[in-house]
Amino acid sequence: MKMLLDCYIIDEEGEDIKVETSDIKLTSSSLVIVVSHTHHINYIFKGAKVSIVQKFASARKASALRLQHAYKTKHVEETEGIDQEFIPIMEFLGGFHGDAEPAEIPKPAPTKNTAIKAPPKFVSKAKTPPKAKPPAKKTTPPKKTVTKTEIDLNAPVLIDLPPKLTKVVKTMLSLEPPEGSSCDYLIAGAKLYIILGDNKTDLRKGNFKLEEISTLPEGVFPAENYYPRILVAKQKVLGVELWARR
C-alpha cells in the first residue's frame, strides 16, 4: 500500500528534524511524529526510553502540525502496546527494531604460571605508641546565599510579556544562576513554558524568551535530569525553574 507520509524525529535536545521515510528506524529510544496525509492523522510514536524533554517537545511540534494540517493527533506508545491502526505504517517504515544488543566486554587474556618466591623475612622492631593529636577545631562551612542584581527593564524577554508573567520573570532576572547549569523550563501558575535562547546558563541579561507548551501529554513525568529552584515573593510561590547540570 502506497502511503504519503511526512516524518519528524525529536532528538534528545528536543529539536525536531524532518527526515525521509527511508531514514526512519523505530526503536525504544525513538520519538517520531508521522504525518499521514493518507489517513489525515498525526501519529506520535514514543519508544519506552524517550526522555521528558522529547515528550514535551513532541507535544509542542504536534500542536503546530495540527494547526497546519487540521489533522487529528494519535499517540502510539511502546509501553502500552502498538495500536493495530499504526502497524501498517510501522511496517511501511521498516518495522520496530527494539534496542541494540550491548557489546560484549572482552575477557582478559590468561596469565602464565610463574614460580612463587617466598617473601623475605623481616625482624619487627618494638613500636612506640604514636603521640596523641590535639582535637581538631570544628569549622562551620559558610552558608550559600543567592544574591540579587539590578533588573534591566529593557531586557528582550520583558517586551510584550503577559502581565501575569512579568513578576515571575523579574524575579528570575534578579537571581544569580546556579553554577554549571542551564534552565530549560519554567512552571508558572498551571502552565509550563520552555525557555528558548542561545545562552540559558545566565538568565539575568534577559536574552531568552518563554514559549508556552499549550498541548501537554497526559501522565506522570519524573524530571530525572532536573533539579528545581522555587521562586517565592511575599509569602507566595511565583513559579518553579527546572535546571539541568551541564
Side-chain angles (χ1 to χ4, degrees), residues 44-48 75-87 90 96:
I44 305 178
F45 175 84
K46 304 173 190 174
H75 298 268
V76 182
E77 304 198 23
E78 180 191 353
T79 55
E80 297 181 4
I82 307 300
D83 294 349
Q84 291 295 323
E85 180 182 346
F86 185 72
I87 289 179
M90 184 174 66
F96 182 69

Side-chain angles (χ1 to χ4, degrees), residues 3-10 16-26 31-37 43 61 65 69 86 89 92-93:
M3 296 186 186
L4 183 58
L5 307 175
D6 287 334
C7 297
Y8 299 84
I9 292 176
I10 310 296
D16 57 271
I17 306 167
K18 188 174 182 180
V19 296
E20 299 294 330
T21 55
S22 57
D23 295 329
I24 294 291
K25 184 177 181 181
L26 298 177
L31 205 158
V32 179
I33 300 178
V34 181
V35 180
S36 175
H37 301 289
Y43 294 97
K61 182 63 177 178
L65 291 171
H69 300 294
F86 185 72
I89 296 177
F92 181 82
L93 296 174

Side-chain angles (χ1 to χ4, degrees), residues 154-165:
N154 295 319
V157 70
L158 292 175
I159 300 174
D160 298 328
L161 193 70
K164 292 183 179 180
L165 274 179

Side-chain angles (χ1 to χ4, degrees), residues 164-173 186 188 231 238-239:
K164 292 183 179 180
L165 274 179
T166 301
K167 190 173 183 179
V168 180
V169 174
K170 283 184 177 179
T171 303
M172 295 170 68
L173 295 176
L186 169 69
L231 308 177
L238 300 181

Side-chain angles (χ1 to χ4, degrees), residues 155-216:
V157 70
L158 292 175
I159 300 174
D160 298 328
L161 193 70
K164 292 183 179 180
L165 274 179
T166 301
K167 190 173 183 179
V168 180
V169 174
K170 283 184 177 179
T171 303
M172 295 170 68
L173 295 176
S174 67
L175 299 175
E176 184 178 347
E179 186 177 352
S181 302
S182 61
C183 190
D184 290 336
Y185 296 100
L186 169 69
I187 301 171
K191 297 183 181 296
L192 176 68
Y193 299 87
I194 186 170
I195 298 176
L196 303 174
D198 294 332
N199 182 8
K200 298 183 290 184
T201 58
D202 190 346
L203 304 178
R204 291 174 295 184
K205 297 180 181 179
N207 294 327
F208 65 94
K209 67 177 182 177
L210 298 175
E211 181 178 313
E212 180 186 344
I213 301 179
S214 56
T215 304
L216 292 173

Side-chain angles (χ1 to χ4, degrees), residues 47-194:
K49 296 182 179 180
V50 296
S51 67
I52 185 174
V53 173
Q54 291 172 289
K55 289 181 181 180
F56 284 146
S58 69
R60 183 177 52 153
K61 182 63 177 178
S63 178
L65 291 171
R66 188 176 65 226
L67 293 174
Q68 180 181 348
H69 300 294
Y71 294 167
K72 293 189 298 182
T73 299
K74 288 196 174 181
H75 298 268
V76 182
E77 304 198 23
E78 180 191 353
T79 55
E80 297 181 4
I82 307 300
D83 294 349
Q84 291 295 323
E85 180 182 346
F86 185 72
I87 289 179
I89 296 177
M90 184 174 66
E91 292 177 349
F92 181 82
L93 296 174
F96 182 69
H97 299 272
D99 285 336
E101 292 294 330
E104 293 184 0
I105 301 174
K107 297 180 179 179
T111 56
K112 296 181 179 180
N113 293 329
T114 56
I116 301 175
K117 297 181 180 180
K121 295 181 180 180
F122 295 95
V123 178
S124 60
K125 296 182 180 180
K127 295 182 179 179
T128 57
K131 294 182 179 179
K133 294 182 179 180
K137 295 182 180 179
K138 293 183 179 180
T139 57
T140 56
K143 295 182 179 179
K144 292 184 179 180
T145 57
V146 179
T147 57
K148 292 189 176 184
T149 58
E150 293 184 1
I151 300 172
D152 181 8
L153 297 178
N154 295 319
V157 70
L158 292 175
I159 300 174
D160 298 328
L161 193 70
K164 292 183 179 180
L165 274 179
T166 301
K167 190 173 183 179
V168 180
V169 174
K170 283 184 177 179
T171 303
M172 295 170 68
L173 295 176
S174 67
L175 299 175
E176 184 178 347
E179 186 177 352
S181 302
S182 61
C183 190
D184 290 336
Y185 296 100
L186 169 69
I187 301 171
K191 297 183 181 296
L192 176 68
Y193 299 87
I194 186 170

